[in-house]
C-alpha cells in the first residue's frame, strides 16, 4: 500500500477503507466529494475503481487481508476479522495506522460512503477549524459517518486510552468502539447526560434534543474543551412524501423543511441492522447518472433526477 505516491495541497484528509462492491449511488457520492474544498478523500479498497475519479478522490488498491495486516502491525495486535464491517471499530485509530499519511495534513478524519455531501463548509470552515481539535455531527456520540481530528493534538492518540482497546479490536463482533467507547473517552460527561435523559427526560416525554442540545452542549463542547459534538440532522428517519434535494450545480443539500444540511446519511433509507422495517430501497432505486446537471430528489423510494 503506497500512501505517499500522491501530492496534495489540501489541509484535510478523510480516510475510508472499503472492501467488496461500491453501492449504486457511488458515482453521485464521488461527485459530491469533488465539490468540497481543501479536503482529500482517500480510499483503501479492493473494489473495481469507478470510471470517473477526481483530483481529491484518491484510491489506493489493496486487499482486505493486506489492510488487516497493516492494522495489526501498526497497533501490535492480531486484527483479522471475518467481516469488513468490523473496520468501523478501528476508525479512532486511523491517526496511528496511517501516521505517515495524516502527518501531511492539518486534520484527519473518517466519513462513510452511504451519504451525499452538500456544503461541508457548514461544519468545516476556518472558524471551527480554529476553535476545535475534534469535530463530529451528533451531540450524544461520535458520528461514525463523519468526524474530524486535528493531526497534532492529543485527540489523535486518545484512542490508546480506551479501556481494554486491544481486546475490543481483536474480538470478531462489531461493538461500536468508534461511536461509544471513544465518545465516552473524548466527552466523559456523556455518561451522566445519558443517564439524566433515560431516567428523567424520557419518563417525562421530553425529546432527546432538549437534553443533549442547547445549554448543555454549550457548556461541555466549546473552544475551551476543543471539541464540537453538534447535531446537524444528517441521519433522518425518512417518511412517505418527504424529499431531500441535492443541487449538483451549487453543491448544496436541503432537507424537507428547506433547511440546508452539510450532508445526507442514507442509514435509514437502505436496509440496515439498526431498524426492522420493510420500507427501504430495493432493486434499481438510483435513477440518475452523470453528468449531474439538474436538482436530484432523494426520498424513501429512491434517488431521482
Amino acid at each position: 500500500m503506497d500512501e505517499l505516491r500522491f501530492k496534495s495541497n489540501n489541509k484535510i484528509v478523510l480516510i475510508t477503507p472499503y472492501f467488496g462492491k461500491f453501492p449504486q449511488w457511488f458515482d453521485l457520492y464521488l461527485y459530491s466529494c469533488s465539490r468540497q474544498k481543501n479536503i482529500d478523500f482517500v480510499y483503501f479498497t479492493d473494489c473495481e475503481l469507478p470510471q470517473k475519479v477526481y483530483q481529491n478522490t484518491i484510491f489506493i488498491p489493496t486487499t482486505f487481508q493486506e489492510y488487516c495486516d497493516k492494522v495489526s502491525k501498526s497497533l501490535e495486535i492480531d486484527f483479522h476479522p471475518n467481516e469488513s464491517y468490523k473496520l468501523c471499530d478501528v476508525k479512532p485509530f486511523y491517526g496511528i495506522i496511517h501516521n505517515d499519511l495524516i502527518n501531511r495534513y492539518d486534520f484527519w478524519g473518517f466519513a462513510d460512503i452511504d451519504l451525499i455531501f452538500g456544503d461541508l463548509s457548514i461544519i468545516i470552515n476556518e472558524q471551527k477549524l480554529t476553535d476545535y481539535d475534534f469535530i463530529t455531527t451528533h451531540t450524544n456520540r461520535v458520528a461514525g459517518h463523519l468526524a474530524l481530528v486535528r493531526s497534532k493534538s492529543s485527540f489523535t492518540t486518545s484512542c490508546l486510552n480506551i479501556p481494554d482497546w486491544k481486546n475490543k479490536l481483536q474480538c470478531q463482533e462489531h461493538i461500536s468502539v468508534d461511536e461509544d467507547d471513544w465518545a465516552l473517552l473524548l466527552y466523559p460527561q456523556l455518561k451522566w447526560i445519558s443517564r439524566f435523559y433515560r431516567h428523567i427526560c424520557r419518563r417525562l416525554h421530553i425529546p432527546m434534543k432538549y437534553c443533549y442540545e442547547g445549554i448543555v452542549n454549550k457548556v461541555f463542547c466549546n473552544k475551551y474543551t476543543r471539541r464540537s459534538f453538534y447535531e446537524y440532522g444528517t441521519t433522518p428517519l425518512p417518511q412517505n412524501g418527504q424529499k431531500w434535494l441535492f443541487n449538483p450545480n451549487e453543491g448544496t443539500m436541503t432537507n424537507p423543511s428547506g433547511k440546508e444540511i452539510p450532508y445526507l446519511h442514507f442509514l435509514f433509507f437502505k436496509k440496515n441492522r439498526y431498524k426492522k422495517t420493510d420500507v427501504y430501497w430495493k432493486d434499481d432505486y438510483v435513477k440518475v447518472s452523470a453528468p449531474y446537471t439538474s436538482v436530484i430528489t432523494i426520498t424513501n423510494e429512491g434517488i431521482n433526477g
Side-chain angles (χ1 to χ4, degrees), residues 30-292:
L30 280 185
Y31 173 81
S32 74
C33 292
S34 75
R35 301 281 312 192
Q36 310 309 317
K37 298 178 180 179
N38 211 25
I39 304 175
D40 283 335
F41 298 82
V42 178
Y43 307 92
F44 296 86
T45 185
D46 63 355
C47 298
E48 181 180 353
L49 300 186
Q51 292 184 350
K52 178 66 173 177
V53 297
Y54 304 88
Q55 187 174 359
N56 69 332
T57 57
I58 301 151
F59 293 84
I60 299 178
T62 186
T63 67
F64 180 55
Q65 176 69 39
E66 288 171 340
Y67 192 81
C68 290
D69 289 344
K70 179 176 178 62
V71 172
S72 298
K73 181 178 180 180
S74 300
L75 300 179
E76 297 182 350
I77 61 174
D78 181 11
F79 182 81
H80 292 93
N82 295 325
E83 296 184 0
S84 60
Y85 192 65
K86 177 65 177 179
L87 287 171
C88 293
D89 283 340
V90 179
K91 289 177 178 179
F93 298 83
Y94 286 173
I96 298 172
I97 297 167
H98 300 288
N99 180 64
D100 289 345
L101 177 61
I102 71 145
N103 280 340
R104 301 162 58 195
Y105 295 87
D106 292 344
F107 283 83
W108 66 273
F110 46 79
D112 286 345
I113 65 171
D114 60 340
L115 48 81
I116 300 297
F117 291 111
D119 183 1
L120 274 181
S121 69
I122 296 172
I123 303 170
I124 304 173
N125 54 59
E126 185 176 351
Q127 185 63 57
K128 291 186 183 298
L129 295 180
T130 299
D131 289 347
Y132 302 110
D133 294 335
F134 181 86
I135 299 171
T136 195
T137 55
H138 283 320
T139 53
N140 61 338
R141 63 188 182 279
V142 172
H145 38 92
L146 185 67
L148 203 65
V149 183
R150 188 182 302 278
S151 299
K152 295 181 180 179
S153 75
S154 61
F155 289 90
T156 290
T157 55
S158 61
C159 55
L160 299 176
N161 294 319
I162 295 174
D164 200 27
W165 66 268
K166 287 190 175 183
N167 286 328
K168 289 176 179 178
L169 293 188
Q170 290 177 134
C171 76
Q172 287 291 331
E173 297 79 16
H174 167 251
I175 54 176
S176 296
V177 173
D178 55 336
E179 295 197 344
D180 296 335
D181 292 273
W182 199 33
L184 289 175
L185 181 71
L186 301 181
Y187 187 0
Q189 295 85 358
L190 277 175
K191 181 178 181 179
W192 306 106
I193 297 170
S194 62
R195 287 180 178 176
F196 180 76
Y197 169 73
R198 289 198 311 271
H199 297 298
I200 298 179
C201 294
R202 190 160 59 184
R203 293 183 180 183
L204 295 176
H205 304 289
I206 299 174
M208 180 184 292
K209 68 177 183 178
Y210 294 115
C211 179
Y212 287 97
E213 299 177 25
I215 191 170
V216 170
N217 188 264
K218 291 180 180 179
V219 168
F220 294 116
C221 299
N222 50 56
K223 64 181 180 180
Y224 301 106
T225 62
R226 306 296 298 173
R227 63 192 179 212
S228 175
F229 282 71
Y230 188 85
E231 183 60 55
Y232 288 90
T234 58
T235 312
L237 288 168
Q239 305 298 316
N240 291 333
Q242 289 186 325
K243 297 179 180 180
W244 285 258
L245 302 178
F246 174 64
N247 187 322
N249 299 311
E250 297 179 2
T252 58
M253 178 74 72
T254 54
N255 67 16
S257 300
K259 181 180 179 181
E260 186 176 351
I261 56 176
Y263 62 91
L264 177 61
H265 184 204
F266 294 154
L267 178 62
F268 297 112
F269 289 77
K270 56 192 177 70
K271 188 175 183 180
N272 66 83
R273 63 182 69 194
Y274 301 108
K275 188 174 187 294
K276 293 183 178 180
T277 177
D278 292 329
V279 181
Y280 54 83
W281 289 340
K282 301 179 179 70
D283 301 325
D284 296 325
Y285 52 87
V286 178
K287 305 296 184 181
V288 296
S289 59
Y292 306 108

